[in-house]
């Protein structure tokens, strides 16, 4: 008996998979046959995807909402499509692109059209990912030029920092002892001590 599966990918734990879930459930895919990965699509090292591929048998049907759920790398999307449809022998239906439904047009012309559409869409998906990275880099560069700080805010210095610095500079304690007294790694203490003002005489 052929089984209907669904696959969902969102790029991080901050994104919501509800839209994809609604679409798959609307096609009658049972929740226990839906596999969800919450991580980047830049490669295929994804646990739920791997579990899905192991379960797939010839004649099964896989629903995905869009082609970029398989990934965003042009060559890898092509490779995965080949593995799923040719090597395993399942059907794939891409919900937002009806031409990418391998159940339709099993003749030579139908296969040609589906392959052509797949190549175009996967190429567009990869270009979009590249454009997003470029816009992000440009946005970060512009923000830095405006003085916007990125990363974690610096931790406040411990109350005993200046006193410990004076003792260390006066060679009363070692660097390791000073760092330990301030609860810092040696390198961190040294860098902050060098940047701090020298003790007032």
């Amino acid at each position: 008996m052929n089984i209907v599966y669904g696959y969902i990918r969102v790029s991080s734990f901050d994104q919501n998979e509800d839209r994809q879930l609604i679409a798959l459930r609307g096609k009658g895919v049972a929740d226990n046959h839906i596999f969800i990965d919450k991580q980047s699509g830049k490669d295929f090292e994804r646990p739920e995807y791997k579990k899905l591929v192991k379960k797939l048998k010839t004649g099964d049907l896989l629903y995905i909402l869009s082609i970029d759920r398989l990934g965003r790398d042009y060559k890898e999307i092509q490779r995965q499509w080949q593995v799923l449809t040719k090597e395993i022998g399942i059907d794939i239906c891409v919900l937002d692109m009806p031409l990418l439904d391998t159940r339709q047009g099993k003749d030579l012309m139908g296969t040609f059209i589906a392959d052509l559409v797949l190549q175009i869409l996967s190429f567009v998906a990869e270009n979009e990912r590249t454009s997003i990275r470029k816009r992000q880099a440009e946005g970060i560069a512009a923000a830095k030029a405006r003085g916007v700080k990125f990363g974690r805010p610096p931790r406040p210095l411990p109350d005993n920092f200046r006193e410990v610095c004076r003792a260390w500079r006066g060679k009363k304690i070692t660097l390791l002892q000073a760092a330990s007294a301030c609860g810092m790694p040696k390198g961190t203490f040294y860098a902050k001590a060098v940047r701090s003002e020298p003790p007032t005489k």
Side-chain angles (χ1 to χ4, degrees):
M1 181 177 176
N2 297 335
I3 300 175
V4 178
Y5 292 97
Y7 178 67
I8 291 172
R9 181 185 60 78
V10 290
S11 60
S12 74
F13 284 93
D14 296 326
Q15 291 190 355
N16 194 300
E17 67 271 16
D18 286 352
R19 187 171 70 93
Q20 296 179 64
L21 271 173
I22 290 169
L24 296 182
R25 288 168 177 163
K27 289 296 182 179
V29 185
D31 283 358
N32 63 333
H33 287 158
I34 296 176
F35 293 77
I36 304 174
D37 275 311
K38 291 190 177 185
Q39 60 194 80
S40 170
K42 67 182 179 180
D43 56 42
F44 283 82
E45 294 303 316
R46 296 175 287 182
E48 292 302 307
Y49 182 79
K50 287 183 174 181
K51 288 179 187 176
L52 168 64
V53 171
K54 287 181 180 179
K55 286 182 174 290
L56 292 171
K57 300 289 187 296
T58 301
D60 288 343
L61 171 63
L62 174 64
Y63 282 107
I64 55 175
L65 181 59
S66 58
I67 192 63
D68 65 353
R69 297 307 87 192
L70 281 181
R72 294 176 185 173
D73 177 85
Y74 176 76
K75 291 181 180 179
E76 194 58 47
I77 290 175
Q78 298 281 329
R79 173 58 183 157
Q80 292 303 313
W81 189 273
Q82 174 77 19
V83 168
L84 296 173
T85 62
K86 303 295 196 298
E87 296 179 17
I88 299 177
I90 70 163
D91 280 311
I92 301 178
C93 177
V94 181
L95 295 177
D96 68 357
M97 181 52 62
L99 284 173
L100 286 178
D101 183 347
T102 59
R103 297 170 299 176
Q104 311 299 325
K106 293 284 190 180
D107 58 6
L108 182 61
M109 181 57 70
T111 301
F112 172 76
I113 292 173
D115 286 347
L116 183 61
V117 171
L118 172 65
Q119 290 185 44
I120 293 171
L121 288 182
S122 53
F123 178 75
V124 168
E126 181 175 351
N127 271 3
E128 182 180 2
R129 181 168 175 252
T130 301
S131 296
I132 289 172
R133 285 203 307 265
K134 182 180 178 182
R135 290 196 299 270
Q136 287 174 336
E138 290 172 348
I140 290 171
K144 285 182 176 178
R146 295 195 306 270
V148 176
K149 302 292 185 183
F150 290 88
R152 296 178 180 177
R155 293 176 60 184
L157 294 173
D159 294 339
N160 66 341
F161 181 75
R162 291 194 181 280
E163 181 183 349
V164 172
C165 273
R166 284 194 295 268
W168 172 64
R169 287 193 181 101
K171 301 185 185 297
K172 294 177 181 178
I173 58 175
T174 66
L175 177 60
L176 180 59
Q177 289 170 332
S180 178
C182 290
M184 297 176 178
K186 283 199 308 182
T188 302
F189 174 83
Y190 181 81
K192 292 184 180 296
V194 169
R195 287 198 302 264
S196 68
E197 295 180 3
T200 303
K201 294 184 179 180

